[in-house]
Amino acid sequence: QVQLQESGPGLVKPSGTLSLTCAVSGGSFRKTNWWTWVRQTPGQGLQWIGEVFHSASAVYNPSLKSRVTISLDNPNNQSSLRLTSVTAADTAIYYCASVHYFDSGAYFQIDSWGQGTLVTVSS
Amino acid sequence: SYELTQAPSVSVSPGQTARITCSGDGLSKQYAYWYQQKPGQAPLLVIYKDNERPSGIPERFSGSSSGTTVTLTISEVRAEDEADYHCQSTDSSGSYWIFGGGTKLTV
């Protein structure tokens, strides 16, 4: 089964840029799937960040849209997340997931999740 | 945008039935999804499209929808079901995901 693994710096300074990568192992990422990013703040709930499809533009959470970029690196079978002007409120566990949509996006299933990576924003 | 509301906690004894609810105006129009999350683990999708179970999820887990409230029902609860349960849906255009605050199930 395809596995996802997030990686990147675990510590980012306030006002800096958070950059993470989601890599695939054990196979290839399904080209019919979306790369989706979700985060979870300590002791809090989940928040959808956004997602990207190989032949479409990325879609973002309106509350983060001005600061976030999700991109694909197809040759290397991975996705990247970039979040600018970070504050302590961006401290969270960041997950990537492989999501398959059905019926023109009417509903979806999740094929796999990464284990998540903790990013702390602190000076 | 709208919000999804969940009770912070639910407690049941082993063998009983747990019901976890999620309320939101958009739930009458958009599908609901439920995730189980145990400490230190990524969320696991246990219900999609209101009441469908992904492959490998026990039949003890079921979902239902009524108006603006959706319910995750876990029958014959086991100690291993103790976890946080998150509901999720989409905005009115189906463009982005919205999560509830999560419910901690104590067995």
Side-chain angles (χ1 to χ4, degrees):
Chain A
Q1 183 181 359
V2 167
Q3 294 184 327
L4 304 179
Q5 177 70 61
E6 306 88 350
S7 62
L11 181 64
V12 181
K13 293 188 186 313
S15 77
T17 297
L18 179 159
S19 295
L20 298 174
T21 297
C22 176
V24 176
S25 62
S28 296
F29 193 88
R30 290 175 65 180
K31 283 187 166 50
T32 54
N33 283 19
W34 289 67
W35 298 75
T36 299
W37 290 85
V38 172
R39 71 181 184 179
Q40 184 168 32
T41 52
Q44 299 299 315
L46 299 163
Q47 182 182 36
W48 181 81
I49 300 171
E51 58 191 11
V52 65
F53 189 62
H54 74 93
S55 63
S57 300
V59 183
Y60 302 119
N61 188 317
S63 68
L64 299 170
K65 188 174 182 178
S66 64
R67 299 192 293 128
V68 68
T69 303
I70 296 173
S71 59
L72 285 181
D73 180 1
N74 280 323
N76 292 317
N77 212 20
Q78 62 186 27
S79 171
S80 296
L81 168 69
R82 188 169 178 267
L83 184 66
T84 62
S85 304
V86 296
T87 69
D90 295 310
T91 293
I93 298 172
Y94 287 77
Y95 297 98
C96 63
S98 173
V99 177
H100 188 85
Y101 285 90
F102 297 86
D103 289 352
S104 300
Y107 67 97
F108 66 86
Q109 284 200 60
I110 298 176
D111 287 352
S112 59
W113 285 87
Q115 64 182 29
T117 187
L118 174 63
V119 178
T120 301
V121 179
S122 175
S123 55
Chain B
S1 64
Y2 72 92
E3 296 181 347
L4 298 177
T5 302
Q6 297 181 244
S9 62
V10 169
S11 182
V12 298
S13 299
Q16 290 186 331
T17 296
R19 293 180 179 85
I20 301 172
T21 62
C22 175
S23 300
D25 290 342
L27 291 175
S28 60
K29 300 180 179 64
Q30 303 292 337
Y31 287 125
Y33 302 77
W34 288 96
Y35 300 81
Q36 176 193 70
Q37 187 178 30
K38 297 181 179 180
Q41 297 184 15
L44 172 68
L45 185 66
V46 294
I47 294 291
Y48 70 99
K49 202 183 175 188
D50 286 348
N51 54 22
E52 300 284 343
R53 271 189 318 277
S55 175
I57 301 301
E59 292 183 7
R60 302 186 294 106
F61 290 82
S62 63
S64 61
S65 177
S66 178
T68 59
T69 298
V70 294
T71 302
L72 172 69
T73 300
I74 309 171
S75 305
E76 300 176 353
V77 169
R78 303 176 181 179
E80 67 201 49
D81 298 329
E82 186 165 285
D84 292 329
Y85 289 87
H86 306 271
C87 67
Q88 179 246 309
S89 187
T90 56
D91 71 306
S92 58
S93 66
S95 298
Y96 63 89
W97 300 6
I98 299 169
F99 287 94
T103 297
K104 180 175 181 57
L105 175 65
T106 301
V107 181

